[in-house]
């Protein structure tokens, strides 16, 4: 069992840290809003620290799951960041979805102190975090990955090293681009079918057996038809991820015409105040086509 | 066992008619190019007729699987069409992907002679036809559907009555719209990942476990990465189907912004001479982005 610090107790981090504790690791948590860390300790046990550095003191592994690139820079390399406290031989595992650039920027800063850095964004959502069955897409050195892997296993079903630093984040971006396209096609298909007067339950039952099948169809078509979005992956989070994707595409030259269009649709959903609605609310853009 | 006529021995109809014969039905075939019908009879047995009407004489069921709306009109209600020969109580099952309008136009023409008409487009492709495991989406009256269903079962795994005449065709359109979106998202994700230098085999292995999963990802991502398209569902056929979809959307008011964009990409693939390439060749549009 390992001594670990967990930085960031949001919707994802809160249950992930709990799984680490239940797996037998010694867990010290830090959260920007202290009340949430206090609640976590009351619920789980473990310890709470007043800064990322204090949480990391003596830790073999630091897990981060914060908001964005700048939040990550602050908790890793900031004045009270974990790097000020970590001993050589420890490993930072970052579960935030960030740009690939920040992973490539922090990995050498960590390496200069003998600390490993693995970018490790997850998929599987809040339910995956709660049930400890996340998918973890990793970038970094094999040595650091293989040390962290058995610890990550406390909350993950699938943990894969894709390539060097940044490769985990880039894989997550591919994931989000694929999801955006699937959802848009599904949304257009559903609205078309509803306008045509079809019994969509029957339609989905039959077409989900074939080449149109997708996870989104299996898990979101029914709620999209009913207009239910109070669950899942929020529009705000998707918009953040697509921003990272489009920014990276300007660097690598990949043309993303439909992803760009869909990013605009998500911007419109935000303007409509649907910030916390599930990403599948994309279909609502088609139901108010004056907004296209 | 039934006496059936099969009109149209293309990539799909040829093996479908074979399954009917092997299931014990008495099959008479008609094909516009007689040589193909001759070959079918040499290979399978059964009988060949010189016109749709001659094939339909004495048949309890007529199956049609032809090219487009006008081809269907000709073989059903044309001067040598099956309606000139069919007895009251027989049923026409149309497996062509057509507009919903032509189904709604032919069903009452058939009904006027006491003949049932079921629009029954299929999915599952040539492999599904060869293996007798097609999915069949039906529109029409329950009485005609339930009589035809056990005969259709010779080449289908899933046979569903969705609603009244045209509902089968409209369901197929929903299917094609969903596929177009899935493929475009997958294409953008793959090109992004390849430009980012990722090992796409590893990427697909991990993201296909989660919310980005689709039949297309499971069955086409690897060949799309390698640029292989000499199989599957041809660009020309997809373009025909999207034309039907977009035409119908003008009638029912469903906004299809991304489907419309993708239809233009398929038009570009046709201009590039990729008419017979699989629909997954959509990714090649992104590899020559000057064409966007």
């Amino acid at each position: 069992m390992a001594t670990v610090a967990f930085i960031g107790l949001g919707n994802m981090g809160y249950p992930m840290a709990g799984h680490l504790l239940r797996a037998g690791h010694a867990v010290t948590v830090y959260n920007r809003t202290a009340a949430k860390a206090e609640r976590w300790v009351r619920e789980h046990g473990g310890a709470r620290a007043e800064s990322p550095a204090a949480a990391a003191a003596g830790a073999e592994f630091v897990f981060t799951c914060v908001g964005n690139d700048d939040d990550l820079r602050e908790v890793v390399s900031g004045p009270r960041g974990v790097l000020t406290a970590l001993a050589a031989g420890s490993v930072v595992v970052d579960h935030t979805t960030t740009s690939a650039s920040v992973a490539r920027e922090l990995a050498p800063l960590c390496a200069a102190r003998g600390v490993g850095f693995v970018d490790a964004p997850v998929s599987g959502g809040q339910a995956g975090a709660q049930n400890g069955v996340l998918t973890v897409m990793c970038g970094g050195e094999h040595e650091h990955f293989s040390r962290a892997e058995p610890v990550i296993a406390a909350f993950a079903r699938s943990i894969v090293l894709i390539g060097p630093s940044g490769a985990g984040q880039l894989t997550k971006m591919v994931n989000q681009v694929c999801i955006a396209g699937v959802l848009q096609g599904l949304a257009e298909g559903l609205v078309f079918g509803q306008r045509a007067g079809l019994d969509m339950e029957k339609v989905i039952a039959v077409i989900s057996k074939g080449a149109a099948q997708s996870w989104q169809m299996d898990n979101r078509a029914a709620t999209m038809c009913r207009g239910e979005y109070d669950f899942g992956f929020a529009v705000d989070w998707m918009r953040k991820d697509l921003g990272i994707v489009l920014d990276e595409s300007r660097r690598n030259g990949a043309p993303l015409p439909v992803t760009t269009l869909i990013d605009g649709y998500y911007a419109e959903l935000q303007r409509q105040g649907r910030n916390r609605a599930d990403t599948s609310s994309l279909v609502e853009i088609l139901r108010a086509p004056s907004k296209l």
Side-chain angles (χ1 to χ4, degrees), chain A:
Chain A
M1 295 301 107
T3 302
V4 315
F6 204 105
I7 315 296
L9 300 172
N11 286 333
M12 300 295 287
Y14 195 98
M16 289 159 80
H19 284 294
L20 285 169
L21 196 91
R22 279 191 293 277
H25 302 296
V27 182
T28 301
V29 299
Y30 168 79
N31 193 66
R32 196 158 49 185
T33 306
K36 207 180 262 183
E38 285 162 13
R39 178 156 71 86
W40 189 90
V41 169
R42 275 200 307 279
E43 189 179 325
H44 296 87
R48 181 174 81 77
E50 294 292 341
S51 71
E60 298 159 85
F61 297 94
V62 172
F63 293 88
T64 52
C65 197
V66 296
N68 57 38
D69 283 22
D70 283 344
D71 296 333
L72 181 66
R73 284 189 184 94
E74 187 185 333
V75 302
V76 173
S77 58
R80 300 199 312 158
V82 299
L83 264 188
T84 62
L86 280 174
S90 56
V91 179
V92 175
V93 179
D94 174 39
H95 292 305
T96 318
T97 295
T98 68
S99 69
S101 319
V102 75
R104 292 189 194 118
E105 164 196 322
L106 292 177
L109 287 182
C110 290
R113 302 193 179 224
V115 173
F117 182 91
V118 178
D119 54 295
V122 302
S123 73
Q126 207 176 337
Q130 280 159 352
N131 299 323
V133 295
L134 291 169
T135 293
V136 188
M137 301 155 256
C138 300
E141 291 182 28
H142 189 269
E143 180 206 340
H144 306 136
F145 170 80
S146 58
R147 261 193 286 153
E149 189 183 11
V151 188
I152 299 172
F155 49 76
R157 184 166 51 187
S158 172
I159 311 161
V160 183
L161 180 65
I162 305 286
S165 279
Q169 297 299 346
L170 292 165
T171 299
K172 177 75 185 266
M173 295 177 213
V174 174
N175 189 70
Q176 303 305 70
V177 169
C178 290
I179 288 175
V182 170
L183 274 173
Q184 180 67 25
L186 184 56
E188 295 193 7
L190 293 181
V191 168
F192 176 91
Q194 290 186 311
R195 295 236 183 178
L198 296 176
D199 177 337
M200 292 310 289
E201 208 171 306
K202 283 187 187 170
V203 169
I204 295 302
V206 59
I207 70 175
S208 65
K209 303 281 196 309
Q213 181 277 339
S214 62
W215 186 98
Q216 299 291 339
M217 182 181 280
D218 292 343
N219 291 277
R220 293 289 182 267
T223 47
M224 287 166 81
C225 284
R226 293 197 298 266
E228 296 171 10
Y229 315 110
D230 54 343
F231 56 81
F233 190 73
V235 165
D236 276 354
W237 306 339
M238 189 57 158
R239 191 92 211 285
K240 172 201 144 191
D241 291 3
L242 291 180
I244 292 170
V245 166
L246 294 174
D247 194 46
E248 183 69 31
S249 77
R250 272 173 223 110
R251 233 164 277 140
N252 69 27
L256 297 174
V258 166
T259 305
T260 303
L261 199 59
I262 295 171
D263 181 56
Y265 297 162
Y266 280 118
E268 174 58 29
L269 288 170
Q270 288 178 318
R271 277 190 291 273
Q272 293 175 12
R274 295 183 192 266
N275 305 65
R276 311 304 300 171
D278 182 63
T279 40
S280 59
S281 59
L282 189 57
V283 69
E284 292 300 326
I285 292 292
L286 301 171
R287 294 198 175 122
S290 65
K291 301 295 187 182
L292 284 180

